[in-house]
Amino acid sequence: MSHYFSEKPNARREQKKHEVALRGRSLTFVTDAAVFSKSGVDYGTKVLLDSFAFPATDGDILDVGCGWGPIGVTLASEDQNRMVWMVDVNERAVQLAQGNAEKNNLQNVKVLKSDLFQSLKGQTFAAILTNPPIRAGKDTIHTLFEQAYDYLVPGGELWIVIQKKQGAPSAKKKLQERFKEVETVRKDKGYYIFRAEKY
Ligand SMILES: C[S@@+](CC[C@H](N)C(=O)[O-])C[C@H]1O[C@@H](n2cnc3c(N)ncnc32)[C@H](O)[C@@H]1O
């Protein structure tokens, strides 16, 4: 069986085009088999996008585990003066996110294959967003939180969506060990949005 987070999915191709409205913008995306939420925008991703506010701090934005790119493409389209980075360990996701940035005529996007932050050494970000790879396990999620802290500028913000049943309360505790302030921005149908600010 091919999981959505395999590095080199070998599932058959099943490309589909979607016209979607996100944060009031009409965007075009292509999805494919073996990439997370291939049939359209995940509900948690939509709640995260609807909740997000760009930080006051200047600087780049990062979408970790970008999948086919709904988070990064939407934010790059909204603020074309910021560079938006998208990374995923799944090569098919990286190709789709790159193609989706191009389909929406975006110049301010960088898409890289990366295991968490590995391909991002030396970069810093004003905001990091993630609909995290829960299926990769708790260790990966905790590493993601810890490394996100290191890659944020002072005052930078990590935004995450996580379902209550997937361990939202323990994720919040973990974030509070490291970040100055952890705010529950929204709770919607069991999806929690957390905003964690770096000291
Ligand atoms: C829940 S999905 C979210 C996808 C997309 N951001 C969205 O909102 O539809 C999590 C993503 O994390 C990716 N992923 C899993 N392990 C990863 C890792 N170690 N480094 C980077 N990305 C990873 C998966 O391939 C998947 O695309």
Side-chain angles (χ1 to χ4, degrees):
M1 189 182 152
S2 177
H3 293 284
Y4 74 86
F5 53 84
S6 34
E7 282 194 43
K8 286 182 186 285
N10 51 17
R12 75 208 175 287
R13 291 279 174 182
E14 199 187 309
Q15 294 209 337
K16 282 204 187 94
K17 198 171 159 186
H18 307 259
E19 308 285 345
V20 293
L22 290 168
R23 290 175 68 91
R25 324 183 75 76
S26 295
L27 298 159
T28 305
F29 294 97
V30 170
T31 63
D32 202 344
V35 176
F36 176 79
S37 206
K38 64 174 181 179
S39 53
V41 183
D42 173 65
Y43 190 76
T45 297
K46 193 169 174 334
V47 179
L48 176 61
L49 277 169
D50 287 344
S51 309
F52 178 72
F54 279 92
T57 328
D58 280 342
D60 294 1
I61 305 287
L62 170 66
D63 172 6
V64 182
C66 62
W68 46 264
I71 298 172
V73 167
T74 302
L75 299 182
S77 163
E78 186 169 332
D79 187 349
Q80 301 200 13
N81 294 317
R82 294 204 198 233
M83 186 58 70
V84 176
W85 298 67
M86 296 192 267
V87 299
D88 204 290
V89 77
N90 175 335
E91 283 176 9
R92 189 176 286 182
V94 171
Q95 286 164 11
L96 287 167
Q98 179 68 52
N100 287 330
E102 287 164 15
K103 265 185 193 59
N104 292 285
N105 301 312
L106 298 171
Q107 314 291 321
N108 56 323
V109 165
K110 288 190 183 158
V111 190
L112 297 174
K113 181 180 174 194
S114 183
D115 181 357
L116 297 182
F117 294 83
Q118 247 170 40
S119 307
L120 294 166
K121 301 234 160 71
Q123 299 298 327
T124 56
F125 302 96
I128 298 175
L129 294 93
T130 188
N131 181 346
I134 297 297
R135 289 202 236 170
K138 220 176 192 168
D139 287 352
T140 301
I141 302 302
H142 288 176
T143 305
L144 196 170
F145 293 171
E146 275 156 23
Q147 293 187 351
Y149 187 91
D150 299 334
Y151 280 80
L152 284 167
V153 299
E157 298 175 0
L158 170 65
W159 288 71
I160 75 160
V161 57
I162 184 163
Q163 290 189 66
K164 186 174 182 199
K165 66 178 185 200
Q166 289 172 333
S170 83
K172 186 170 187 180
K173 278 207 192 83
K174 185 73 195 170
L175 289 167
Q176 282 166 331
E177 285 173 15
R178 201 74 200 268
F179 288 83
K180 177 171 74 171
E181 189 193 318
V182 182
E183 181 192 358
T184 305
V185 178
R186 196 179 293 189
K187 292 180 183 176
D188 182 339
K189 294 188 184 153
Y191 289 85
Y192 288 28
I193 307 298
F194 296 136
R195 182 188 67 85
E197 192 180 325
K198 179 169 174 165
Y199 282 98

